[in-house]
Amino acid sequence: MPKAFLSHSSDDKQIVRKIKENIGRIWTYFDEEARHIFLEGLSRDMINRARGWALWKALITYDDVNDDFGENARYTIDCILKEAHID
């Protein structure tokens, strides 16, 4: 395989970062059924990366001075914990 296919350019990393950020938003804005439909067919790796991004974002905004951000953060964390069967 050509070496170019084995290396990752900064553009490739930026594309993956944007994808996981966009997918990560589903834990904030989608209900359980919609999340299930949206995630169907995605690789487990991509889902885990997106879930990690969503959790990170929720944790840094959990106690935000903006009540809406805090509410969204708590909703996101609750969704992620329920999926992991941690109540």
Side-chain angles (χ1 to χ4, degrees), residues 42-56:
L42 293 179
S43 72
R44 175 63 43 207
D45 183 54
M46 183 57 74
I47 293 169
N48 287 337
R49 287 172 185 261
R51 186 181 292 119
W53 182 89
L55 184 57
W56 166 78

Side-chain angles (χ1 to χ4, degrees), residues 57-69:
K57 190 67 170 179
L59 289 171
I60 66 170
T61 58
Y62 187 85
D63 198 23
D64 200 276
V65 294
N66 181 320
D67 290 338
D68 291 336
F69 289 169

Side-chain angles (χ1 to χ4, degrees), residues 27 51-52 54-55 58 75-85:
W27 283 276
R51 186 181 292 119
L55 184 57
Y75 175 81
T76 300
I77 292 168
D78 187 50
C79 289
I80 291 170
L81 293 177
K82 283 183 180 176
E83 281 184 5
H85 306 291

Side-chain angles (χ1 to χ4, degrees), residues 3 8 16 23 27 37 53 72 75 78 80-81 84 86-87:
K3 199 172 195 176
H8 296 287
V16 170
I23 296 171
W27 283 276
I37 292 167
W53 182 89
N72 282 343
Y75 175 81
D78 187 50
I80 291 170
L81 293 177
I86 302 170
D87 293 332

